[in-house]
């Protein structure tokens, strides 16, 4: 039996309101995950079939945490007479929900069921290929900027083209069709397509929508303030008939407008669900009241919001420390000194401390200072080695040689580097394979298919087939083979490394990519002598590669290390001791916000940063910051004036206060024992 007495009155009300639309306004640190998981368990206790419950969130981490908590609250269902078990609730991200739906129904839209999902590096690769064909000589266009605009157009963001660089919006419009054709040729979709194609499916095939409505009769969405126009439309289609729609969110933490999030989805809930019941969660379980009162004072300056006042039973706590520094280097050195002092004198582990900053550029000075002081740190948001384009290309080649019928791998590298197999050619081959219900490689070997192409294209197809069969045969003929030598040979034959060098703007960037690839090639044999079973060794290598990358991520996340993280990435996290650096006009609020009219969102970003702190909060700003090697003057952020003076202590003033004998002795003893 679920014990609801552990919930506060507002949490309990949110959990017990099962039917009809519900808006749970969950302030920072108010236990929203607990409420969502208890609500799922309560529904099941009240007779709702677990398979009819859908919980949607934004990150895999949040989905996993909710699944785990629900499992602990609900006993594993007993097996039925036929040996099967009843369904469990579906708790997943928007994207994984759409993948589930599309894997069942995407053939109705002309795709194969084994479609591949392109990540950002693969999308940028596709954009670069298009730009290389249509850009004038010497013209440089940022593919990431094009991709960002394409994404906004797709998602219907209200500010899609409002502040685009001159010409970029027109270029994005121009290459949109080519980009979609390039993905279609590879039987690929990107993250935006997952939702858009699901919407298309629901619109064009009402029976698919009806099947999903029947299955998902109780729908919950977490972080609702972060939903964009397409996510809103998807949820609205699923819930507008049964109306059992519960959304959890906080408009004060809406910080993703730049990527299409629509705060109006939460602010105007009553417009689409007039009968909605609103429940406010205001008791915070994370922070001291000093931190919460400061956060309340900051956010009340945003006029368009749903009012709420965070409070806590954690006591008043220490004042917020405000530091002013001459430069960003001095700021970084001082923050590291504070971290080390807390560790040695206060026995505060590195993992209890986090440094928050507005832009990635700020991390350079901080990383330098941390390294010089031999302080371990974990920078969140860096690109994984295995997400790099050259590594993914190489792995696709390996998989294709083991199994040429792996459409996903073949389509990725068929024309990488260019070998006369254009996107249009690959799209036709894909269509032929779909029609004949065979793999693309089989279609490439079928004379009935290849004779429909021009002589030059047919020759390119035949040469590629011969290359794949010739290179793959070396793995199968039983001879003693060094995989490193074999890989070097096919990379040389394809000209991939030459193409890799040519694709980058600077020699340094191209050499980095080549080194990444050669480092991986060197590990193919695993330090073992060549044996007569190269195929088995290659398969083992690919399996271990996947396992090792997962283990590396786990190891990185677990160790005792200071967290270095941007304010945008820190939402949903908490740390006992937080250092917010760079509170300067032009950084926070960012210079762009004045032009774009997004000052409210910048203030929400500051609010999110402040509410990450549990016990202590330190805020700093600099008089000067290095830019391109030059020291540029800086001014304090106007947001600092919104902090109530009685909650803030100036670091310069505190430094002048004498330390008592007992306090000094206690700190000295702690430092001495830490060093022993």
């Amino acid at each position: 039996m679920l014990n609801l007495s552990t919930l506060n009155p507002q949490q309990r009300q949110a959990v017990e309101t099962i039917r009809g639309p519900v808006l749970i306004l969950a302030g920072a640190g108010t236990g929203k995950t607990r409420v969502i998981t208890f609500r799922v368990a309560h529904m099941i206790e009240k007779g709702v079939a677990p398979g009819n419950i859908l919980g949607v969130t934004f990150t895999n981490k949040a989905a996993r945490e909710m699944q785990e908590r629900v499992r602990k609250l609900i006993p594993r269902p007993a097996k039925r007479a036929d040996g099967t078990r009843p369904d469990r609730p579906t708790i997943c991200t928007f994207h994984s929900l759409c993948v589930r739906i599309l894997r069942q129904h995407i053939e109705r839209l002309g795709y194969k069921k084994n479609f591949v999902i392109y990540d950002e590096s693969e999308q940028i690769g596709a954009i670069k290929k298009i730009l290389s064909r249509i850009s004038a000589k010497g013209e440089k266009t940022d593919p990431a900027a094009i991709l960002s605009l394409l994404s906004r157009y797709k998602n219907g963001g209200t500010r899609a083209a409002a502040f685009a660089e001159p010409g970029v919006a027109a270029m994005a419009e121009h290459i949109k069709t080519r980009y979609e054709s390039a993905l279609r040729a590879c039987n690929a979709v990107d993250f935006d397509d997952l939702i858009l194609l699901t919407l298309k499916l629901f619109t064009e095939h009402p029976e698919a929508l009806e099947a999903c409505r029947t299955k998902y009769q109780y729908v919950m969405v977490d972080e609702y303030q972060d939903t964009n126009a397409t996510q809103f439309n998807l949820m609205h289609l699923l819930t507008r008939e049964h109306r059992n729609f519960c959304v959890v969110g906080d408009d004060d933490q809406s910080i993703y407008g730049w990527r299409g999030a629509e705060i109006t989805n939460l602010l105007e809930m009553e417009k689409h669900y007039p009968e909605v019941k609103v429940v406010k969660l205001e008791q915070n379980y994370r922070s001291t009241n000093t931190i919460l009162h400061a956060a309340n004072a900051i956010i009340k300056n945003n006029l368009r919001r749903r009012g709420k006042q965070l409070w806590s039973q954690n006591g008043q706590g220490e004042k917020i420390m405000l530091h002013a520094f001459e430069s960003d280097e001095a700021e970084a050195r001082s923050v590291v000194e504070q971290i080390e002092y807390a560790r040695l004198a206060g026995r505060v582990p590195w993992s209890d401390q986090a440094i928050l900053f507005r832009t990635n550029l700020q991390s350079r000075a901080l990383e330098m200072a941390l390294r010089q002081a031999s302080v371990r740190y974990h920078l969140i948001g860096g690109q994984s080695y295995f997400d790099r384009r050259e590594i993914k290309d190489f792995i696709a080649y390996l998989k294709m040689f083991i199994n040429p019928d792996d459409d996903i791998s073949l389509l990725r590298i068929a024309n990488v580097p260019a070998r006369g197999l254009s996107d249009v050619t690959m799209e036709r081959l894909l269509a032929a394979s779909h029609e004949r219900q065979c793999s693309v490689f089989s279609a490439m070997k079928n004379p009935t298919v290849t004779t429909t192409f021009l002589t030059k294209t047919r020759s390119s197809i035949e040469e590629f087939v011969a290359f794949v069969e010739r290179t793959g045969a070396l793995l199968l003929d039983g001879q003693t083979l060094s995989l490193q030598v074999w890989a070097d040979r096919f990379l040389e034959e394809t000209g991939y490394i030459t193409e890799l060098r040519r694709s980058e703007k600077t020699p340094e960037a191209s050499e980095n990519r080549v080194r990444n690839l050669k480092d991986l090639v060197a590990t193919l044999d695993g330090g073992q002598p060549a044996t007569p079973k190269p195929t088995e060794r290659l398969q083992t290598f690919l399996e271990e590669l996947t396992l090792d990358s997962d283990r590396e991520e786990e190891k990185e996340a677990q160790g005792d290390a200071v967290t270095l993280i941007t304010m945008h990435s820190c939402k949903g996290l908490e740390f006992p001791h937080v250092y917010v650096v760079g509170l300067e006009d032009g950084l926070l609020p960012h210079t762009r916000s004045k032009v774009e009219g997004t000052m409210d969102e910048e203030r929400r970003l500051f609010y999110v940063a402040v509410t990450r702190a549990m016990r202590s909060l330190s805020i700093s700003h600099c008089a000067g910051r290095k830019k391109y090697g030059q020291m540029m003057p800086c001014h304090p952020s106007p947001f600092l004036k919104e902090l109530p003076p009685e909650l803030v202590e100036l670091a310069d003033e505190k430094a002048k206060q004498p330390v008592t004998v007992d306090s000094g002795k206690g700190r000295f003893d702690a430092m001495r024992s830490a060093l022993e």
Side-chain angles (χ1 to χ4, degrees):
M1 188 73 180
L2 200 63
N3 182 10
L4 299 184
S5 65
T6 59
L7 304 171
N8 70 39
Q10 290 73 31
Q11 289 176 330
R12 185 163 181 163
Q13 185 186 14
V15 165
E16 291 181 330
T17 310
I18 292 176
R19 288 178 175 79
V22 184
L23 166 57
I24 302 171
L25 280 175
T30 55
K32 71 179 176 69
T33 305
R34 182 176 169 80
V35 167
I36 294 169
T37 51
F38 264 73
R39 197 171 185 274
V40 171
H42 183 65
M43 278 195 269
I44 293 168
E45 253 191 16
K46 290 293 178 185
V48 174
N52 293 149
I53 299 171
L54 170 66
V56 187
T57 186
F58 278 84
T59 67
N60 289 312
K61 184 186 169 194
R64 279 195 301 270
E65 185 187 348
M66 284 184 200
Q67 285 165 351
E68 193 52 44
R69 291 214 205 174
V70 168
R71 271 192 212 105
K72 285 177 182 171
L73 290 172
I74 308 166
R76 187 171 166 81
K79 285 184 179 178
R80 299 187 183 101
D82 62 1
T84 61
R85 288 186 189 273
D87 290 340
R88 293 190 74 87
T90 302
I91 300 174
C92 59
T93 63
F94 277 101
H95 292 115
S96 57
L97 170 67
C98 292
V99 170
R100 284 169 192 234
I101 294 168
L102 292 173
R103 289 277 180 223
Q104 286 182 289
H105 304 287
I106 200 166
E107 286 173 314
R108 301 179 196 209
L109 300 176
Y111 288 81
K112 284 186 173 183
K113 275 190 177 179
N114 69 339
F115 63 88
V116 63
I117 302 160
Y118 269 15
D119 64 15
E120 190 178 359
S121 66
E122 289 159 327
Q123 290 174 272
I124 285 176
I127 300 279
K128 277 183 176 175
K129 273 172 68 180
I130 295 163
L131 290 175
S132 68
R133 293 190 206 119
I134 66 172
S135 298
K137 198 171 182 183
E139 182 185 5
K140 285 189 178 175
T141 309
D142 181 5
I146 295 284
L147 185 60
S148 173
L149 279 164
L150 282 179
S151 179
R152 291 192 202 184
Y153 289 153
K154 283 183 174 189
N155 286 301
T158 52
R159 295 178 292 173
F163 48 89
E165 292 174 24
V168 173
M171 176 70 84
E173 203 53 81
H174 182 60
I175 68 170
K176 183 172 180 285
T177 312
R178 289 171 183 254
Y179 172 74
E180 286 170 355
S181 170
L183 263 64
R184 193 71 183 252
C186 295
N187 195 36
V189 299
D190 63 22
F191 276 92
D192 296 326
D193 289 333
L194 290 173
I195 297 177
L196 290 167
L197 288 172
T198 307
L199 284 172
K200 188 177 185 203
L201 175 76
F202 284 173
T203 308
E204 295 177 5
H205 301 275
E207 69 284 4
L209 171 59
E210 197 48 50
C212 290
R213 278 182 182 159
T214 303
K215 178 167 177 57
Y216 302 124
Q217 292 176 28
Y218 294 83
V219 179
M220 284 189 284
V221 180
D222 188 21
E223 303 285 10
Y224 193 63
Q225 76 282 348
D226 294 338
T227 52
N228 60 31
T230 55
Q231 289 159 343
F232 167 82
N233 289 335
L234 181 71
M235 291 297 108
H236 192 55
L237 278 171
L238 276 177
T239 61
R240 71 183 179 199
E241 297 297 324
H242 59 63
R243 305 186 80 75
N244 295 321
F245 186 38
C246 172
V247 304
V248 186
D250 181 7
D251 50 312
D252 291 337
Q253 295 184 72
S254 177
I255 57 173
Y256 296 122
W258 50 277
R259 68 182 188 202
E262 302 276 4
I263 193 172
T264 51
N265 292 348
L266 189 144
L267 291 175
E268 298 177 2
M269 182 82 177
E270 288 88 348
K271 188 169 155 185
H272 304 280
Y273 300 88
E275 74 276 34
V276 67
K277 182 169 186 174
V278 181
V279 181
K280 288 186 187 181
L281 305 183
E282 295 171 298
Q283 183 176 352
N284 176 287
Y285 294 90
R286 175 187 298 156
S287 310
T288 64
N289 278 305
T290 292
I291 292 165
L292 297 178
H293 292 160
N296 290 334
I298 293 161
I299 204 65
K300 75 176 184 189
N301 291 288
N302 278 0
L303 300 178
R304 191 162 180 250
R305 60 184 286 263
R306 290 180 180 263
K308 65 190 84 67
Q309 283 284 112
L310 296 181
W311 61 277
S312 165
Q313 291 181 339
N314 295 340
Q316 197 58 24
E318 56 191 76
K319 287 188 175 185
I320 296 165
M321 196 61 64
L322 183 61
H323 297 260
F325 297 105
E326 284 299 309
S327 67
D328 49 346
E329 271 102 349
E331 177 184 54
R333 280 195 305 273
S334 176
V335 168
V336 173
E337 284 166 9
Q338 291 171 62
I339 286 169
E340 280 298 80
Y341 180 75
R343 183 175 72 91
L344 295 169
R347 299 187 181 179
V348 177
W350 285 328
S351 55
D352 278 2
Q353 307 186 69
I355 307 172
L356 276 52
F357 46 90
R358 173 66 173 83
T359 70
N360 282 310
L361 291 171
Q362 290 169 260
S363 77
R364 183 197 60 80
L366 294 162
E367 287 192 75
M368 293 284 285
L370 288 160
R371 283 168 187 258
Q372 283 164 7
S374 299
V375 173
R376 281 198 300 276
Y377 67 91
H378 174 46
L379 176 65
I380 294 180
Q383 187 189 31
S384 164
Y385 175 78
F386 297 98
D387 285 340
R388 298 179 193 279
R389 171 170 53 93
E390 63 276 16
I391 301 302
K392 286 195 162 190
D393 284 347
F394 180 64
I395 290 169
Y397 265 112
L398 299 183
K399 288 179 176 176
M400 181 195 63
F401 289 131
I402 284 178
N403 172 21
D405 292 326
D406 174 358
D407 284 357
I408 290 168
S409 298
L410 183 142
L411 289 167
R412 179 181 175 94
I413 51 80
N415 207 37
V416 178
R419 49 171 69 91
L421 301 175
S422 68
D423 291 337
V424 172
T425 298
M426 295 312 296
E427 199 163 337
R428 281 179 62 189
L429 286 165
L430 184 64
S433 74
H434 208 279
E435 198 178 305
R436 288 164 175 74
Q437 294 187 314
C438 67
S439 70
V440 174
F441 191 68
S442 296
M444 294 174 108
K445 291 169 69 176
N446 186 333
T448 317
V449 174
T450 54
T451 49
T452 64
F453 289 89
L454 294 171
T455 308
K456 191 177 176 184
T457 305
R458 187 165 69 247
S459 176
S460 296
I461 294 169
E462 288 165 356
E463 282 173 23
F464 178 72
V465 168
F467 160 68
V468 173
E469 291 184 331
R470 184 174 64 250
T471 310
L474 292 171
L475 296 170
L476 299 170
D477 66 6
Q479 66 169 324
T480 300
L481 178 74
S482 160
L483 290 175
Q484 182 177 348
V485 171
W486 170 78
D488 282 334
R489 196 178 297 158
F490 83 69
L491 286 170
E492 179 68 31
E493 185 181 345
T494 58
Y496 184 84
I497 287 181
T498 306
E499 178 64 27
L500 201 55
R501 285 196 169 102
R502 198 164 44 225
S503 68
E504 289 300 323
K505 290 178 185 174
T506 66
E508 185 186 13
S510 64
E511 283 313 310
N512 279 343
R513 286 202 181 277
V514 171
R515 191 172 68 246
N516 283 335
L517 184 52
K518 290 197 168 177
D519 285 349
L520 186 58
V521 171
T523 66
L524 276 174
D525 290 300
Q528 300 297 316
T531 67
K533 294 183 177 177
T535 306
E536 285 181 24
R537 280 189 290 123
L538 190 54
Q539 283 173 328
T540 302
F541 169 82
L542 289 167
E543 285 167 14
E544 286 178 353
L545 194 70
T546 308
L547 293 171
D548 284 348
S549 65
D550 288 346
R551 209 174 296 132
E552 198 56 43
E553 283 169 22
E554 284 171 25
K555 193 168 68 185
E556 220 179 354
Q558 283 170 359
D560 180 21
V562 173
T563 300
L564 225 60
I565 188 168
T566 65
M567 295 178 188
H568 278 106
S569 299
C570 74
K571 190 154 75 71
L573 302 177
E574 61 184 33
F575 307 93
H577 307 279
V578 168
Y579 305 85
V580 180
V581 300
L583 249 289
E584 293 134 36
D585 201 5
L587 270 179
L588 190 73
H590 200 279
T591 311
R592 284 198 310 264
S593 64
K594 292 164 188 175
V595 181
E596 298 162 12
T598 54
M599 190 70 100
D600 279 10
E601 185 157 316
E602 292 290 294
R603 185 177 282 109
R604 291 195 289 269
L605 194 54
F606 185 32
Y607 172 84
V608 166
V610 166
T611 53
R612 297 313 94 198
M614 298 166 74
R615 298 207 296 273
S616 80
L617 175 63
S618 170
I619 299 174
S620 58
H621 61 92
C622 303
R625 193 169 285 277
K626 270 194 178 168
K627 194 173 182 183
Y628 306 117
Q630 297 287 314
M631 189 63 76
M632 307 296 287
C634 301
H635 302 285
S637 167
F639 294 154
L640 292 174
K641 293 177 186 169
E642 298 174 4
L643 290 168
E646 67 276 12
L647 302 178
V648 177
E649 188 164 13
L650 301 178
D652 290 348
E653 296 296 320
K654 187 170 186 181
K656 294 172 188 172
Q657 294 171 11
V659 177
T660 66
V661 174
D662 288 346
S663 172
K665 184 176 183 305
R667 290 179 194 176
F668 181 74
D669 289 345
M671 290 177 79
R672 186 169 58 189
S673 67
L675 292 166
E676 283 173 355

